[in-house]
Amino acid sequence: MDVSPPEPIPGARLLFSHDAAVAHLNHGAFGMVPVAVQRAQQRVREEMESNPHRFFAVGLEERVAHVRRHLAGFVGADPEGAALVENASTGTSIVLGSLDLVAEDEIVTTDHGYGAVDLAVAATCRRTGAVHRVARVPLEADDAAITAAVLEATTARTRLVIVDHITAATARLIPVQRIVEAVRERWGDQAAVLVDAAHVPGILDPDVSALGADYWVGNLHKWAFAPRGTALLAVAPARRNRIRPLVLSWSAEAGFPASLEWVASHDYTPWLAAPTGLFVLRTLGIETVRRHNVALAEYGQRAVAAAIGAELPPATGLPMTLIPLPPGVAGDPEAAVALRRRISDDLAAEVGLTAWRGRGYLRLSAQIYNRPEDYHRLAAGLPALIERRATSR
């Protein structure tokens, strides 16, 4: 089916300082900070360097609290039950470090989870003797099947369930509301749920308080135009007094959220500039940006899938799309990294590549600075690259 790309948002490409000679098709990895946000952060940095003692000692706590309230409002979280942290992985490690696990307690994740989270869970299990159980969820599973698979992996020993709202590896939307309700119905308070919403702010309209998860963590620096190092960890009221900071500093006894936010000479400039990112997003029109990005991601997916003869996966309504690579191509993590670097070097295109269940998948993102020709470039050069990789094994 011939589908036309969306009309570009006027002037959107000029809002960024990226290298225009490169097709940046992996926004979901590190985001892209608008120039206005870069300048806002630089102004704060200059303020800090002009008098570091005054910057840290006078009024900074109130400024950070103001930012927290602003960002919490954006995702529907209680500002008194949320803390600014560096990223979703940091928030996850804080949660894991705050649990009093003992031998044979269980942590449940899915096989769509983020690799760094799996590493943190493995380290926690080694330290405590807990057991990591993984729910295997087919790529094509519907909401009911996903919920059933997660629930089936839980037992009376389950103490934490970690689920992605939008999966990084497979660009899937997970029914986290249903999973939270199902786990709560079966296990009550004995099994907490952590929603890894790393990609959610800016893509979806979460209502964190209504979700009812014990823990929720989302990055603002991916799709909400904040500087990198800006994320929010929200904690349910009953669990806030159990949160332990990863680093003990002068606010260690102040309790949540101050004990997490005040860590010595932390760089607070990304957090203080983050509201400017939301201002840019709202000025453009949040729904306008979302519609554009989803439509362009689906257009790019079709173009690249057709070029390599790949079956088109079902549409997800997300600005990240997945394309299966031919069997034997990038089927393990090392091969996926090698192909991603070759695409970067030879095609001047930055993409996401993952090996999942022994199959290589290309993940493409779309943001308002992208154009159809970015995907055309990848589509034109990728078949030959794949052929060379396949014949060189």
Side-chain angles (χ1 to χ4, degrees), residues 242-268:
R242 308 179 199 177
I243 292 293
R244 303 179 186 126
L246 296 177
V247 178
L248 296 177
S249 191
W250 293 109
S251 295
E253 301 302 320
F256 183 85
S259 61
L260 299 188
E261 293 177 341
W262 297 100
V263 183
S265 53
H266 177 81
D267 182 6
Y268 296 96

Side-chain angles (χ1 to χ4, degrees), residues 187-198:
W187 302 116
D189 293 335
Q190 77 172 40
V193 179
L194 164 61
V195 173
D196 183 343

Side-chain angles (χ1 to χ4, degrees), residues 21-82:
V22 176
H24 300 274
L25 305 178
N26 195 16
H27 184 91
F30 302 106
M32 192 79 76
V33 183
V35 172
V37 183
Q38 294 178 42
R39 290 174 176 167
Q41 184 180 8
Q42 183 59 29
R43 287 193 295 270
V44 179
R45 186 177 291 113
E46 290 168 355
E47 175 194 351
M48 175 177 63
E49 296 304 337
S50 69
N51 189 337
H53 190 280
R54 182 172 182 81
F55 178 83
F56 284 98
V58 180
L60 183 57
E61 185 173 355
E62 290 78 11
R63 293 171 71 178
V64 169
H66 175 74
V67 169
R68 186 199 326 125
R69 288 191 291 268
H70 192 89
L71 301 185
F74 182 66
V75 298
D78 175 5
E80 302 309 313

Side-chain angles (χ1 to χ4, degrees), residues 138-350:
L139 194 60
E140 67 281 1
D142 62 16
D143 286 358
I146 295 170
T147 304
V150 172
L151 201 59
E152 185 178 344
T154 63
T155 75
R157 297 291 312 194
T158 300
R159 297 294 175 262
L160 182 67
V161 177
I162 304 176
V163 288
D164 298 63
H165 197 162
I166 298 173
T167 65
T170 54
R172 282 295 314 272
L173 191 63
I174 302 297
V176 292
Q177 183 79 64
R178 292 179 62 165
I179 291 171
V180 168
E181 293 170 354
V183 171
R184 188 77 70 246
E185 181 179 357
R186 177 168 294 188
W187 302 116
D189 293 335
Q190 77 172 40
V193 179
L194 164 61
V195 173
D196 183 343
H199 289 273
V200 167
I203 290 182
L204 304 177
D205 282 321
D207 187 341
V208 174
S209 294
L211 176 61
D214 300 273
Y215 311 99
W216 181 97
V217 61
N219 292 325
L220 279 295
H221 56 242
K222 289 184 181 287
W223 299 92
F225 293 155
R228 292 172 199 88
T230 306
L232 201 69
L233 171 65
V235 181
R239 299 186 183 271
R240 291 170 192 171
N241 63 356
R242 308 179 199 177
I243 292 293
R244 303 179 186 126
L246 296 177
V247 178
L248 296 177
S249 191
W250 293 109
S251 295
E253 301 302 320
F256 183 85
S259 61
L260 299 188
E261 293 177 341
W262 297 100
V263 183
S265 53
H266 177 81
D267 182 6
Y268 296 96
T269 64
W271 298 354
L272 296 177
T276 304
L278 294 187
F279 175 80
V280 172
L281 185 58
R282 287 166 169 149
T283 299
L284 291 166
I286 296 176
E287 287 305 319
T288 298
V289 170
R290 288 174 181 164
R291 285 194 301 270
H292 171 275
N293 292 348
V294 170
L296 186 57
E298 292 177 354
Y299 175 83
Q301 180 192 39
R302 290 186 179 91
V304 177
I308 64 172
E311 183 178 352
L312 197 66
T316 62
L318 298 173
M320 296 192 300
T321 58
L322 207 63
I323 301 170
L325 296 174
V329 175
D332 61 73
E334 288 186 2
V337 169
L339 181 56
R340 177 178 57 78
R341 289 177 176 169
R342 183 56 58 195
I343 291 171
S344 177
D345 292 342
D346 291 6
L347 305 182
E350 303 295 347

